[in-house]
Each structure stands twice: as C-alpha cells, then as structure tokens.
Amino acid sequence: MTILKNRLFWPIAILVAMLIVNVFTSHQFLTIHDGHLFGTLIDILRGSAPLMLVALGMTLVISTGGIDLSVGSVMAISGAVACLLIKDLSDQNAIGAVLLIVAVAIGVSALLGLWNGTLVAVVGIQPIIATLILMVAGRGLAQLITDGQIINVQSNPYASIATGFFLTLPVAFLIAMAAVALTAVLTRRTALGLLLESVGGSPAASRLAGIRARRITMMVYVVSGAFAGLAGLIVSADIKSADSIHAGDLIELDAILAVVIGGTALIGGRFSIIGTVIGALLIQTLTVTVVGVGVPPKATLLFKAVIVVALCLSQSPVFREKVFGRFKSRPAVRAEVTA
Amino acid sequence: MKTTIDATPEVAQNAPVNPRRRVYRPNAKYIPILATLVLLLAMYVGGLANLAHFDDPRVVVNLFRDNAVLLVVAIGMTFVILTGGIDLSVGAVISLTTTLTATLLQGGWPPLLVLPLVLVLGALLGSGMGAVIQYFKVEPFIATLAGLFLARGLALYINQESIPIRDKLWVTLSDLRIPLFDGVKTTLIAVVALVVVLIAAAVLAWTRFGRNVYAIGGSADSALLMGLPVARTRVLVYTISGFCAALGGVLFTINSTSGHALQGAGTELDAIAACVIGGVLLTGGSGYVFGTLLGVMVFGLISTIINFQGDLNSAWTRIVVGILLFGFIVLQRLVTRRAR
C-alpha cells in the first residue's frame, strides 16, 4: 500500500503502460543498428531532452515559488544566436569554434535569465509578469537576430548535439542526464536544495535566518535561462536551422506540466528532480505514443488533455479519497473506534 | 466607514501634529489604480504631443472596439484572480467558441440557438474547471491548463481552417454602427464590452457575491470559518470566466464574421497582464474591475501608438510591446512602493 501512496506511482505506472503499448505498435522498440541503440525507446529519450532541460530549470524556479514563462523565447534566441554565428564561420565543421559558439549562446541565455532574476528579486515584480515581458519581447528579439528568416547551417559538430550518439546513447539525452545529475548532486548533496526550499517557503523568513534569498532567487532564473538556452541549441541542431517563430513554442506549459506531474508544488518550498525527469519522459512518451497508436493528428491535443486530466485527478488526494475511499477497508479507523 | 478609519488616535491629540499628515494621501488601496491612470494619461498626452492626428476622438473610441474581446475576457479573469486563482483556458475557450459558432452557422443552425448554446458551453467548461479546483483540490494553474488543452483540442478537432460566417444576423450585427457624438460611431462589440465592465463592477462592489469573492481572495480559510459559501463562490468565478471567454469568442466572430481554431492563442496571458497592470494582485483579494479596464486600455494604447508610428515591422512591434510593458510595470512598482 505504501507504493500506491507514493506521488510518483501513477505517473510511473502510466509511463510504463505507454511504453508497453509502444512495444507492440512500433516497428522497432529497441534494437542495435549502425553500432548504437535504435528504436522508439531511443527516439523518446532523444526527443525528451529539450523538455527535460527546460523542466529542470523550471523545477528550481518553481521551488522558490516563482515561474518562468520566458523559456520558449530564450530557446528561440539561443538557437538564433548559435546559427547566426556558425553561418559566418569559414569552416562550419571546426569543432573548437562550434564549441565556443555553443558556450556563447548559453552565456547569452544565462544573461537573459539574469534579467528575469533581477526583475523578480531586485525590482520585486511578480514572477509570472516579470518573465512575461521576456516571453513577449524575446521572440521579437529572436526574429530580429535571424532577420525574420530561417537560418540554415551545415555544421556536423553542431548537428551532433541533437542527432549524435555516444556510448550507444543519444548525445542529447546524455546532455540532459548530465544536467540532471549535476543539479541533483548540487541540490541534494549540498545545502543548496535546503536553501532553495527555504526561500520558496518564505523569502522573508529565510532572509532573517541569514540566507541570501535575493541572490538565490536570481541564481535559479539564471540556471533556468541557461538550461533553456541549451534546450534551444538541441532543438535547432536537430533541424540544422534556427526557426525563431516555432522554436520552443508553448514549451513553458509542457515544462510546468512535467514539474507538476513530478510532484513539485506550484506554491514552492518543495521540489523533486527525479519527479520532473519522469514528468518530462511521460509527456514525450505520450506525444510519441499518440502518433504511434494511430490517433489522427487533429485529435492529438484532445487525447493529451484526457490523459492530463486523468493524471492530475489521480494525484489529487481528495479525489482518491472520494472515489477510491469507499472501496478500501479501514482497519486503522476501526481499531481507534473500538479502543 | 471613512470617519472611523480617519479618526485621529488619542495619542496624536496631545502630541504636536505631524506636519506630514497634512499632505493629501489617497487611500492606499487606490494607489495602484491611480498610478495606472496617471501613466495611461501620460502615454496619451505623449502620443498627442508626438503623433499627428492622434487628437482625433476616434482614437479613444476605437480603443474599445479593437480591445473588446480582451476586455471581456480580462473582466472574467479579474473575478478569478480576485479569489487568488488563475484561468489559463480563456484563449482556448475563445478558439472553441469561434470555431463552433462558425461551424454551426455554416451548417444552417438558427443563430438565436447558436448564440446561447456557445455561451452556455463556455460557462459549463468554466464551472467544470471550478468544480475540479474546488472539490478535488487540483491547483488552478494545472486544472485550467488541462482545460486549455481540452478546449483547443476540441477546436482543432472540429475544424483547423478559418471558417467564414455568412449568417444574416451575424453580418447585420457586424455592420451595425452606433452613433455617439459629432458623427463618431462605434461598433456593437465595444458597447457590449462596456456593458460587461459596468455589470462586473456593480456585482463586485454592491453584491454579497462580490464581497465573498474578495473574502476568499483574502483568506479562503477565514471565509469558510465565517460561514461564507466558499465552494459555490469559487465554482461561480470560474463559470463567469468561462462565460466571459465564450462571450469574447462570440464578439470576435461578430467583429470578423469568421471563426478560426487558433484565434485567441495567448489571450490568457494578455488578460492576466492587463489585470496586473490595473493593480489586481495575483495573490488575490485586492483589485478593481476599473483597474482591469485601465490595464486593457494600456495594452490597446501601446499597439495604437505603434500603429501610428507606422514604420515598425512585426519583430519590433513585439519588442516595443515588451519594453513598454516593462517600463510600465516598473514605474507602477516604484510608485506603489513609495506610497507604502
């Protein structure tokens, strides 16, 4: 019974169920091909990388009681910056130069995150509104960088960020996993996670307790920006071009959903990184499964809505109590009454 | 009520009167609205000084016509935010309403049946979300996000294309012009939006339901202990928001005589921003419908000024909207902070 009560039980159960469906519906679920793993499962891992990165940053932001709506725009800007710089290279396949450009794009994204963090922590604007500004203006900025065009690049090192394989696993997934591991170690093996949750619980109280609440709040937005930038690079490397209008469109809602599915409360003060990873995998698997099962594309969103509603209700303790409560025997309560 | 609040405390009668107390200070709860009003006027005066033909009264009248949909939706959002909730589904409900209205009218349904049908559907969707939020304790952000997926999904399922409306009633309403003064006319949808504002303001200010809304936003637990009907009120505010979104969708179909499943995408964030600019606190319990009206006017005036400027491409429009939004929010923040 304790397993059933775990917040992650239903998300994991649905994830596993959908993966099993995929075993039967996909041509190749998991095989070895050209020396690396191949199949639907690998597609899911590769495709979930951008969402996982964005959701990871979002988890930290939400743990401090904030929210970051600008991640989609930051992704567009990051991809635009990278593609613009790579296009101007004399040799687009020079690994060193591409790595430097990747670093520059992530740096720009972190700066955009710093802007969000400053608005929230220093100026004191509500997070949803502070990040709304960059969400609106950022896509315009990205369009300005690309001059309204889609910039195509022919760089193999850049493309390998999204499509490459290392140790038989997709590079994009490994990048996301590295980010997850780094964040998990920093927040769970140091006091950082505790400080985050403290700021999320009450910024004023944590400041009085000697925690630099303002600095920590700014930091989470910087991290969120940098991760979104990395996600933007993966998305743009996947199509070898920068699409300033569609890159990261509506990803903030999927990311928030992934965070909530993973059991992080939107009011802050508590977070689960492994939960977010499962949430992101769940959303990506859902997207792949819906197509694989043969649901017509125009009904995809409807299908997604039904799953989301079912999942959110299954996580609601009140709903469980009201619907499943009557089927359970209640020895604990009875014992109390008789005693 | 005023006299009791303004009564000088006993200590102050013996002590010398603090000279700073003589300076007129508006009631603290009106300061965000006053700040928005002053900034809005400043923007308008700035436009008058710098742009040709900006003094035409039609500029102001058209603000209401061009932003009627956003205004109606933002009014519904105000109710939800006042209770401390949020409704992300409104943009999708607009999509669903416009698509459904256009499809049904194209299918030859009588317009007087379609109109109430889509409005009731919007209200039902809203009350469904409200019930889930109230009775299953799902966070409003998530419940209405699911509502967003559901409504947008339904809209896309019905029709992904733009659907023209040829219905006589709709075309008549669309062409209707209401004379105001000096030959200045306005459209029906602007009048409807304004009527919604007045009704909403009256409901919030003078009815028991309105007071319950503020009480829940202040503290839902206290409201419950006071014996206020928290559950009913909370479900009702989401119903109002859903109804307003559907009405916004209907106004859109009347204005453009067409329906499209992607119409209204992003309206929820514009509506939330309008509420916040107008001084409605996202934590609930504080704010006024007229603040939201001013917030929508700010949004409208920003795009009007950009239109008058005329030489900005679409990328710049977004950036300028962002910059102005930023300037506006920061200024309002500074003004209200000094007042406290």
Side-chain angles (χ1 to χ4, degrees), chain A residues 53 56-58 60-61 68 109-110 113-114 183 217-229:
Chain A
L53 283 166
L56 190 60
M58 190 73 82
L60 300 181
V61 172
D68 188 351
S109 311
L114 184 66
T183 314
T217 308
M218 288 177 77
M219 189 198 71
V220 292
Y221 286 92
V222 172
V223 171
S224 174
F227 281 165

Side-chain angles (χ1 to χ4, degrees), chain B residues 29-51:
Chain B
K29 61 183 183 178
Y30 296 132
I31 283 174
I33 285 198
L34 289 175
T36 308
L37 185 62
V38 169
L39 292 168
L40 184 67
L41 290 176
M43 258 171 78
Y44 186 68
V45 171
L48 283 181
N50 295 315
L51 300 167

